[in-house]
Amino acid sequence: MLTWNRTIPLLTLMAVIPAFAQSPPPSSGRPWHAPDERTIVSEGNRFRQSGFRIEPNKTYSLAELIDLAEAHNPETSVAWENARAQAAALGIARSELYPTLSAVALSGVDRSEVPLGSQFYRQTVPVFEASLELNYTIFDFGARRGRIAAESARVLATNFAFNDVHRKLIYEVQQAYYRLLNASGQEAAARASLANAQAVQQAAEERLHDGLATLPDVLEARSATAQAQYDLQAVLGAEQIARGDLATALGASATTVIRVQPLSELPTPESVDDSVNEAIDHAFAQRPDLQAEVAGIREANAQGKEARAAFYPSLSLQANPSAQSLFVLQQTLPWGHTSDLNGGVAFSLNWTVFDGGARKSRLAQSEAEIRRAQAQVSAAHDRIEDEVWTAYSNLNTAFRQREAATALLDAATQSYAAALESYKYGVRTLLDVTAAQKVLAQANSADVLARTQVLSSLSELAFRNGDSIQANSRKSRP
């Protein structure tokens, strides 16, 4: 019976352990929900970006939206912490230039029976000791300097990456802003198109009432009105999505309501001041991603310096002064005490004579890294030049489309007004009016798109040549 009672807890423990152990999903046919799933979800919710206040009655300009994004979007915090961590890594590398000093304090008591002749005497020895240990590398033919230079280059690269995050974020906010302006402008155009369709329908119904039009004409006009209403709903949905995209780019919830300057309050430039060659030169001088690639060459050169230093010896110093205090108590004898300062100084010369070609291979590897980094910079130059050329060409195309869209809108407005007036007097048919109305709707949409496309293309050119992150860019943002 005693044995049985001891077995039951053991079997219970063995049965409970698998319930708390990690195990794979029981089958591939259904989702797997772990017992800790709710805990993981609650932990993840603690790290959600805290919301910031958007004033509901304030109309935000593009510059203000960009400032909000740079302050609250978590991507900037990620890049900033990366730069801080790399700066700390540089501090670790620089610490190798200084000696390391360690302090140790020891205290203990040793008691033993010491034989003397045919007798044993108890002996107690309390020990107190404090020591210092100094280690310092006197010279290593540039190995430490190479590591410091490599970490310094990595700091530059992370700082440039931090700037590049801001460059991309500014561009993201600008594009979301212009998409919202386009969607809002398309809404206004769609409402105007609906009003024109309703005017045509009203004219057709009046002519039917007077016996001057047929029922198919009225049905055609009603169909055009329904199509305009359908197009308006699609535009409203696109506008809601654009508002959510802009709020997300700012680091706010997608449901946040943000009032922005309408398209009608923004000036639309008609030309660009810089030539394409000047824009390319600006990109080469300002693009942080290119600067990070150049910093990679510096890092590779520093690593090569460290690899070459491995072929030479290194000289180190080690000193360990120690202060010791000893007490002794032996049976039948009084206390005894002694203290002294001791220690030692040693110089160590280390030189790897043979390592099977490891140093040679590491040097060849570092030289290959240098050539690779140089090739990456050349490739980045080619890529950036093509990006700026494409953005510049798109901007000139947007300027020309803007001129064409303005002319199209003027002609379509006059054509629609003349067709509707002529239809009321029975000179034109309903098909002529509906066709003019559709052309006018397309012209309104094209005009809005052309205006926002100019602004979007300007922001893309500023993104490609690095102007958006320059100190004077905040005053010149469109």
Short mmCIF file of all heavy atoms in Angstrom, two decimals, residues 410-465:
data_model
loop_
_atom_site.label_atom_id
_atom_site.label_comp_id
_atom_site.label_asym_id
_atom_site.label_seq_id
_atom_site.Cartn_x
_atom_site.Cartn_y
_atom_site.Cartn_z
N ASP A 410 -11.72 72.97 -71.49
CA ASP A 410 -12.37 74.15 -72.06
C ASP A 410 -13.24 73.78 -73.24
O ASP A 410 -14.40 74.22 -73.36
CB ASP A 410 -11.31 75.17 -72.47
CG ASP A 410 -10.57 75.76 -71.27
OD1 ASP A 410 -11.12 75.69 -70.16
OD2 ASP A 410 -9.45 76.27 -71.47
N ALA A 411 -12.70 72.95 -74.13
CA ALA A 411 -13.47 72.56 -75.32
C ALA A 411 -14.67 71.72 -74.96
O ALA A 411 -15.78 71.90 -75.51
CB ALA A 411 -12.56 71.81 -76.29
N ALA A 412 -14.51 70.77 -74.00
CA ALA A 412 -15.62 69.90 -73.62
C ALA A 412 -16.72 70.68 -72.92
O ALA A 412 -17.91 70.40 -73.10
CB ALA A 412 -15.10 68.77 -72.73
N THR A 413 -16.34 71.69 -72.11
CA THR A 413 -17.34 72.51 -71.42
C THR A 413 -18.18 73.29 -72.42
O THR A 413 -19.43 73.34 -72.33
CB THR A 413 -16.65 73.47 -70.44
OG1 THR A 413 -15.88 72.71 -69.50
CG2 THR A 413 -17.66 74.31 -69.70
N GLN A 414 -17.52 73.90 -73.38
CA GLN A 414 -18.26 74.66 -74.40
C GLN A 414 -19.11 73.73 -75.26
O GLN A 414 -20.25 74.06 -75.61
CB GLN A 414 -17.27 75.43 -75.26
CG GLN A 414 -16.48 76.48 -74.50
CD GLN A 414 -15.43 77.16 -75.36
OE1 GLN A 414 -15.40 76.98 -76.57
NE2 GLN A 414 -14.55 77.96 -74.74
N SER A 415 -18.58 72.55 -75.60
CA SER A 415 -19.32 71.61 -76.44
C SER A 415 -20.58 71.13 -75.72
O SER A 415 -21.66 71.03 -76.33
CB SER A 415 -18.43 70.43 -76.82
OG SER A 415 -19.16 69.45 -77.53
N TYR A 416 -20.46 70.82 -74.42
CA TYR A 416 -21.61 70.33 -73.68
C TYR A 416 -22.67 71.42 -73.55
O TYR A 416 -23.87 71.17 -73.74
CB TYR A 416 -21.19 69.86 -72.29
CG TYR A 416 -22.35 69.60 -71.37
CD1 TYR A 416 -23.16 68.48 -71.53
CD2 TYR A 416 -22.66 70.51 -70.35
CE1 TYR A 416 -24.23 68.26 -70.68
CE2 TYR A 416 -23.73 70.29 -69.50
CZ TYR A 416 -24.52 69.17 -69.68
OH TYR A 416 -25.60 68.94 -68.85
N ALA A 417 -22.23 72.65 -73.22
CA ALA A 417 -23.19 73.74 -73.07
C ALA A 417 -23.92 74.00 -74.39
O ALA A 417 -25.16 74.19 -74.41
CB ALA A 417 -22.48 75.00 -72.60
N ALA A 418 -23.18 73.98 -75.50
CA ALA A 418 -23.82 74.22 -76.80
C ALA A 418 -24.75 73.07 -77.17
O ALA A 418 -25.86 73.29 -77.71
CB ALA A 418 -22.75 74.40 -77.88
N ALA A 419 -24.35 71.84 -76.90
CA ALA A 419 -25.19 70.69 -77.26
C ALA A 419 -26.47 70.68 -76.45
O ALA A 419 -27.55 70.40 -76.98
CB ALA A 419 -24.41 69.39 -77.04
N LEU A 420 -26.37 70.98 -75.13
CA LEU A 420 -27.58 71.00 -74.29
C LEU A 420 -28.52 72.12 -74.71
O LEU A 420 -29.75 71.92 -74.80
CB LEU A 420 -27.17 71.17 -72.83
CG LEU A 420 -28.32 71.19 -71.81
CD1 LEU A 420 -29.12 69.90 -71.87
CD2 LEU A 420 -27.79 71.44 -70.40
N GLU A 421 -27.97 73.29 -75.02
CA GLU A 421 -28.82 74.41 -75.45
C GLU A 421 -29.49 74.10 -76.79
O GLU A 421 -30.69 74.37 -76.98
CB GLU A 421 -27.96 75.67 -75.55
CG GLU A 421 -28.74 76.94 -75.84
CD GLU A 421 -29.61 77.37 -74.67
OE1 GLU A 421 -29.36 76.90 -73.54
OE2 GLU A 421 -30.53 78.18 -74.89
N SER A 422 -28.73 73.49 -77.70
CA SER A 422 -29.30 73.15 -79.01
C SER A 422 -30.38 72.07 -78.87
O SER A 422 -31.38 72.07 -79.60
CB SER A 422 -28.21 72.67 -79.95
OG SER A 422 -27.24 73.68 -80.15
N TYR A 423 -30.15 71.13 -77.94
CA TYR A 423 -31.14 70.07 -77.75
C TYR A 423 -32.46 70.63 -77.22
O TYR A 423 -33.55 70.18 -77.61
CB TYR A 423 -30.59 69.02 -76.78
CG TYR A 423 -31.60 67.96 -76.41
CD1 TYR A 423 -31.97 66.98 -77.34
CD2 TYR A 423 -32.19 67.93 -75.14
CE1 TYR A 423 -32.90 66.01 -77.01
CE2 TYR A 423 -33.10 66.96 -74.81
CZ TYR A 423 -33.46 66.00 -75.74
OH TYR A 423 -34.39 65.03 -75.41
N LYS A 424 -32.37 71.63 -76.35
CA LYS A 424 -33.59 72.23 -75.82
C LYS A 424 -34.41 72.89 -76.91
O LYS A 424 -35.65 72.96 -76.82
CB LYS A 424 -33.24 73.25 -74.73
CG LYS A 424 -32.68 72.64 -73.46
CD LYS A 424 -32.35 73.70 -72.44
CE LYS A 424 -31.79 73.10 -71.16
NZ LYS A 424 -31.47 74.13 -70.15
N TYR A 425 -33.72 73.36 -77.97
CA TYR A 425 -34.44 73.98 -79.09
C TYR A 425 -34.71 72.99 -80.21
O TYR A 425 -35.19 73.39 -81.29
CB TYR A 425 -33.64 75.17 -79.63
CG TYR A 425 -33.65 76.36 -78.68
CD1 TYR A 425 -32.55 76.62 -77.88
CD2 TYR A 425 -34.76 77.20 -78.59
CE1 TYR A 425 -32.53 77.70 -77.01
CE2 TYR A 425 -34.75 78.28 -77.71
CZ TYR A 425 -33.65 78.52 -76.93
OH TYR A 425 -33.65 79.60 -76.07
N GLY A 426 -34.37 71.73 -80.00
CA GLY A 426 -34.67 70.71 -81.00
C GLY A 426 -33.71 70.66 -82.16
O GLY A 426 -34.00 69.99 -83.16
N VAL A 427 -32.55 71.31 -82.03
CA VAL A 427 -31.58 71.31 -83.13
C VAL A 427 -30.68 70.07 -83.07
O VAL A 427 -30.30 69.52 -84.10
CB VAL A 427 -30.75 72.60 -83.10
CG1 VAL A 427 -29.73 72.62 -84.23
CG2 VAL A 427 -31.66 73.82 -83.19
N ARG A 428 -30.31 69.62 -81.84
CA ARG A 428 -29.46 68.46 -81.66
C ARG A 428 -30.25 67.33 -81.05
O ARG A 428 -31.30 67.52 -80.40
CB ARG A 428 -28.27 68.81 -80.73
CG ARG A 428 -27.43 69.98 -81.20
CD ARG A 428 -26.57 69.61 -82.39
NE ARG A 428 -25.56 68.64 -82.03
CZ ARG A 428 -24.37 68.97 -81.56
NH1 ARG A 428 -24.04 70.26 -81.41
NH2 ARG A 428 -23.48 68.04 -81.26
N THR A 429 -29.74 66.11 -81.24
CA THR A 429 -30.40 64.92 -80.68
C THR A 429 -29.88 64.64 -79.28
O THR A 429 -28.85 65.18 -78.85
CB THR A 429 -30.16 63.70 -81.57
OG1 THR A 429 -28.76 63.39 -81.55
CG2 THR A 429 -30.62 63.98 -83.00
N LEU A 430 -30.61 63.76 -78.58
CA LEU A 430 -30.18 63.39 -77.24
C LEU A 430 -28.84 62.66 -77.27
O LEU A 430 -28.03 62.80 -76.36
CB LEU A 430 -31.24 62.51 -76.57
CG LEU A 430 -30.93 62.07 -75.14
CD1 LEU A 430 -30.86 63.26 -74.21
CD2 LEU A 430 -31.93 61.05 -74.64
N LEU A 431 -28.60 61.88 -78.31
CA LEU A 431 -27.32 61.19 -78.41
C LEU A 431 -26.16 62.17 -78.47
O LEU A 431 -25.10 61.93 -77.90
CB LEU A 431 -27.31 60.28 -79.65
CG LEU A 431 -28.27 59.08 -79.62
CD1 LEU A 431 -28.21 58.31 -80.93
CD2 LEU A 431 -27.93 58.16 -78.45
N ASP A 432 -26.36 63.29 -79.15
CA ASP A 432 -25.32 64.31 -79.20
C ASP A 432 -25.06 64.89 -77.81
O ASP A 432 -23.90 65.12 -77.42
CB ASP A 432 -25.72 65.43 -80.15
CG ASP A 432 -25.85 64.94 -81.59
OD1 ASP A 432 -25.17 63.96 -81.93
OD2 ASP A 432 -26.64 65.54 -82.35
N VAL A 433 -26.13 65.11 -77.04
CA VAL A 433 -25.97 65.69 -75.71
C VAL A 433 -25.29 64.72 -74.76
O VAL A 433 -24.37 65.09 -74.01
CB VAL A 433 -27.34 66.13 -75.15
CG1 VAL A 433 -27.17 66.74 -73.76
CG2 VAL A 433 -28.00 67.14 -76.08
N THR A 434 -25.74 63.46 -74.76
CA THR A 434 -25.13 62.48 -73.86
C THR A 434 -23.66 62.24 -74.22
O THR A 434 -22.82 62.04 -73.33
CB THR A 434 -25.91 61.17 -73.91
OG1 THR A 434 -26.02 60.73 -75.27
CG2 THR A 434 -27.31 61.34 -73.33
N ALA A 435 -23.37 62.25 -75.51
CA ALA A 435 -21.97 62.09 -75.91
C ALA A 435 -21.13 63.26 -75.42
O ALA A 435 -20.01 63.08 -74.92
CB ALA A 435 -21.86 61.95 -77.43
N ALA A 436 -21.68 64.49 -75.52
CA ALA A 436 -20.95 65.66 -75.04
C ALA A 436 -20.81 65.63 -73.52
O ALA A 436 -19.78 66.03 -72.97
CB ALA A 436 -21.67 66.94 -75.47
N GLN A 437 -21.86 65.10 -72.87
CA GLN A 437 -21.80 65.01 -71.41
C GLN A 437 -20.73 64.01 -70.96
O GLN A 437 -19.99 64.25 -70.01
CB GLN A 437 -23.18 64.60 -70.88
CG GLN A 437 -23.27 64.58 -69.36
CD GLN A 437 -22.99 63.20 -68.79
OE1 GLN A 437 -23.32 62.21 -69.42
NE2 GLN A 437 -22.39 63.15 -67.61
N LYS A 438 -20.59 62.88 -71.64
CA LYS A 438 -19.57 61.90 -71.30
C LYS A 438 -18.16 62.46 -71.54
O LYS A 438 -17.24 62.24 -70.76
CB LYS A 438 -19.78 60.63 -72.11
CG LYS A 438 -21.04 59.85 -71.72
CD LYS A 438 -21.20 58.61 -72.59
CE LYS A 438 -22.47 57.85 -72.21
NZ LYS A 438 -22.67 56.64 -73.07
N VAL A 439 -18.01 63.18 -72.66
CA VAL A 439 -16.70 63.79 -72.94
C VAL A 439 -16.35 64.81 -71.87
O VAL A 439 -15.19 64.90 -71.42
CB VAL A 439 -16.70 64.43 -74.34
CG1 VAL A 439 -15.42 65.22 -74.56
CG2 VAL A 439 -16.84 63.36 -75.41
N LEU A 440 -17.33 65.58 -71.41
CA LEU A 440 -17.08 66.56 -70.36
C LEU A 440 -16.70 65.88 -69.05
O LEU A 440 -15.80 66.35 -68.33
CB LEU A 440 -18.32 67.44 -70.16
CG LEU A 440 -18.21 68.51 -69.06
CD1 LEU A 440 -17.03 69.44 -69.33
CD2 LEU A 440 -19.51 69.29 -68.93
N ALA A 441 -17.38 64.77 -68.74
CA ALA A 441 -17.04 64.03 -67.52
C ALA A 441 -15.61 63.51 -67.59
O ALA A 441 -14.84 63.60 -66.62
CB ALA A 441 -18.02 62.87 -67.31
N GLN A 442 -15.23 62.98 -68.73
CA GLN A 442 -13.85 62.51 -68.90
C GLN A 442 -12.85 63.65 -68.83
O GLN A 442 -11.76 63.51 -68.27
CB GLN A 442 -13.72 61.77 -70.23
CG GLN A 442 -14.55 60.49 -70.30
CD GLN A 442 -14.53 59.87 -71.69
OE1 GLN A 442 -13.98 60.44 -72.64
NE2 GLN A 442 -15.14 58.70 -71.84
N ALA A 443 -13.23 64.81 -69.38
CA ALA A 443 -12.34 65.96 -69.34
C ALA A 443 -12.15 66.47 -67.92
O ALA A 443 -11.03 66.86 -67.53
CB ALA A 443 -12.88 67.08 -70.23
N ASN A 444 -13.22 66.50 -67.12
CA ASN A 444 -13.10 66.91 -65.71
C ASN A 444 -12.18 65.96 -64.95
O ASN A 444 -11.31 66.39 -64.18
CB ASN A 444 -14.48 66.93 -65.05
CG ASN A 444 -15.25 68.19 -65.37
OD1 ASN A 444 -14.67 69.27 -65.44
ND2 ASN A 444 -16.55 68.07 -65.58
N SER A 445 -12.36 64.66 -65.18
CA SER A 445 -11.52 63.67 -64.52
C SER A 445 -10.06 63.80 -64.97
O SER A 445 -9.14 63.75 -64.15
CB SER A 445 -12.04 62.26 -64.81
OG SER A 445 -11.20 61.29 -64.25
N ALA A 446 -9.84 64.00 -66.26
CA ALA A 446 -8.48 64.14 -66.77
C ALA A 446 -7.81 65.40 -66.25
O ALA A 446 -6.60 65.41 -65.98
CB ALA A 446 -8.50 64.15 -68.30
N ASP A 447 -8.59 66.48 -66.07
CA ASP A 447 -8.02 67.73 -65.57
C ASP A 447 -7.54 67.55 -64.13
O ASP A 447 -6.43 68.00 -63.78
CB ASP A 447 -9.07 68.84 -65.65
CG ASP A 447 -8.53 70.16 -65.13
OD1 ASP A 447 -7.65 70.74 -65.80
OD2 ASP A 447 -8.99 70.60 -64.06
N VAL A 448 -8.35 66.89 -63.30
CA VAL A 448 -7.95 66.65 -61.92
C VAL A 448 -6.72 65.75 -61.88
O VAL A 448 -5.75 66.01 -61.16
CB VAL A 448 -9.11 66.03 -61.13
CG1 VAL A 448 -8.64 65.60 -59.74
CG2 VAL A 448 -10.26 67.02 -61.01
N LEU A 449 -6.74 64.69 -62.66
CA LEU A 449 -5.62 63.76 -62.68
C LEU A 449 -4.35 64.44 -63.18
O LEU A 449 -3.25 64.20 -62.64
CB LEU A 449 -5.96 62.56 -63.57
CG LEU A 449 -4.87 61.49 -63.69
CD1 LEU A 449 -4.55 60.90 -62.33
CD2 LEU A 449 -5.31 60.40 -64.67
N ALA A 450 -4.47 65.30 -64.19
CA ALA A 450 -3.29 65.97 -64.73
C ALA A 450 -2.68 66.92 -63.71
O ALA A 450 -1.45 67.01 -63.58
CB ALA A 450 -3.65 66.72 -66.00
N ARG A 451 -3.51 67.62 -62.97
CA ARG A 451 -2.99 68.55 -61.96
C ARG A 451 -2.28 67.79 -60.84
O ARG A 451 -1.18 68.17 -60.42
CB ARG A 451 -4.12 69.40 -61.39
CG ARG A 451 -4.72 70.38 -62.38
CD ARG A 451 -5.83 71.19 -61.74
NE ARG A 451 -5.32 71.99 -60.62
CZ ARG A 451 -6.09 72.68 -59.79
NH1 ARG A 451 -7.41 72.66 -59.96
NH2 ARG A 451 -5.56 73.39 -58.81
N THR A 452 -2.91 66.75 -60.33
CA THR A 452 -2.27 65.99 -59.26
C THR A 452 -1.05 65.23 -59.77
O THR A 452 -0.10 65.01 -59.02
CB THR A 452 -3.26 65.01 -58.63
OG1 THR A 452 -3.82 64.15 -59.65
CG2 THR A 452 -4.38 65.76 -57.93
N GLN A 453 -1.07 64.85 -61.06
CA GLN A 453 0.08 64.15 -61.61
C GLN A 453 1.31 65.06 -61.69
O GLN A 453 2.44 64.61 -61.48
CB GLN A 453 -0.26 63.60 -63.00
CG GLN A 453 0.76 62.62 -63.55
CD GLN A 453 0.89 61.38 -62.70
OE1 GLN A 453 -0.10 60.89 -62.15
NE2 GLN A 453 2.11 60.87 -62.57
N VAL A 454 1.10 66.34 -61.96
CA VAL A 454 2.21 67.28 -61.95
C VAL A 454 2.83 67.36 -60.55
O VAL A 454 4.05 67.29 -60.38
CB VAL A 454 1.75 68.67 -62.43
CG1 VAL A 454 2.82 69.72 -62.14
CG2 VAL A 454 1.43 68.64 -63.91
N LEU A 455 1.97 67.51 -59.54
CA LEU A 455 2.47 67.60 -58.17
C LEU A 455 3.14 66.30 -57.74
O LEU A 455 4.19 66.30 -57.08
CB LEU A 455 1.32 67.94 -57.23
CG LEU A 455 0.61 69.28 -57.50
CD1 LEU A 455 -0.58 69.45 -56.56
CD2 LEU A 455 1.57 70.45 -57.34
N SER A 456 2.54 65.18 -58.11
CA SER A 456 3.12 63.88 -57.76
C SER A 456 4.46 63.67 -58.45
O SER A 456 5.41 63.15 -57.85
CB SER A 456 2.15 62.76 -58.12
OG SER A 456 2.69 61.50 -57.86
N SER A 457 4.56 64.09 -59.71
CA SER A 457 5.83 63.94 -60.43
C SER A 457 6.90 64.84 -59.86
O SER A 457 8.08 64.47 -59.82
CB SER A 457 5.61 64.25 -61.91
OG SER A 457 4.70 63.33 -62.50
N LEU A 458 6.52 66.03 -59.40
CA LEU A 458 7.49 66.91 -58.74
C LEU A 458 8.03 66.28 -57.47
O LEU A 458 9.24 66.32 -57.19
CB LEU A 458 6.83 68.26 -58.43
CG LEU A 458 6.75 69.28 -59.56
CD1 LEU A 458 5.88 70.45 -59.14
CD2 LEU A 458 8.14 69.76 -59.95
N SER A 459 7.14 65.66 -56.68
CA SER A 459 7.59 65.01 -55.45
C SER A 459 8.46 63.80 -55.77
O SER A 459 9.41 63.51 -55.03
CB SER A 459 6.39 64.59 -54.60
OG SER A 459 5.64 63.56 -55.23
N GLU A 460 8.16 63.10 -56.85
CA GLU A 460 8.99 61.97 -57.22
C GLU A 460 10.39 62.42 -57.63
O GLU A 460 11.40 61.79 -57.26
CB GLU A 460 8.36 61.18 -58.36
CG GLU A 460 9.17 59.94 -58.74
CD GLU A 460 8.54 59.16 -59.86
OE1 GLU A 460 7.51 59.60 -60.40
OE2 GLU A 460 9.09 58.10 -60.22
N LEU A 461 10.48 63.52 -58.37
CA LEU A 461 11.80 64.03 -58.74
C LEU A 461 12.58 64.46 -57.51
O LEU A 461 13.78 64.19 -57.40
CB LEU A 461 11.64 65.20 -59.71
CG LEU A 461 12.96 65.82 -60.21
CD1 LEU A 461 13.81 64.80 -60.94
CD2 LEU A 461 12.66 67.02 -61.12
N ALA A 462 11.90 65.12 -56.55
CA ALA A 462 12.57 65.50 -55.30
C ALA A 462 13.00 64.28 -54.51
O ALA A 462 14.04 64.28 -53.84
CB ALA A 462 11.64 66.37 -54.46
N PHE A 463 12.21 63.21 -54.60
CA PHE A 463 12.57 61.95 -53.93
C PHE A 463 13.78 61.31 -54.59
O PHE A 463 14.69 60.82 -53.90
CB PHE A 463 11.36 61.02 -53.96
CG PHE A 463 11.65 59.60 -53.55
CD1 PHE A 463 11.98 59.30 -52.25
CD2 PHE A 463 11.60 58.58 -54.48
CE1 PHE A 463 12.25 57.99 -51.87
CE2 PHE A 463 11.85 57.27 -54.12
CZ PHE A 463 12.19 56.97 -52.81
N ARG A 464 13.82 61.33 -55.91
CA ARG A 464 14.91 60.65 -56.62
C ARG A 464 16.23 61.40 -56.50
O ARG A 464 17.29 60.77 -56.44
CB ARG A 464 14.54 60.49 -58.09
CG ARG A 464 13.31 59.63 -58.35
CD ARG A 464 13.47 58.24 -57.81
NE ARG A 464 12.29 57.41 -58.08
CZ ARG A 464 12.13 56.18 -57.61
NH1 ARG A 464 13.06 55.63 -56.85
NH2 ARG A 464 11.04 55.49 -57.89
N ASN A 465 16.19 62.73 -56.47
CA ASN A 465 17.47 63.45 -56.38
C ASN A 465 17.83 63.87 -54.96
O ASN A 465 18.85 64.53 -54.75
CB ASN A 465 17.48 64.67 -57.31
CG ASN A 465 16.42 65.70 -56.95
OD1 ASN A 465 15.90 65.71 -55.85
ND2 ASN A 465 16.10 66.55 -57.92
#
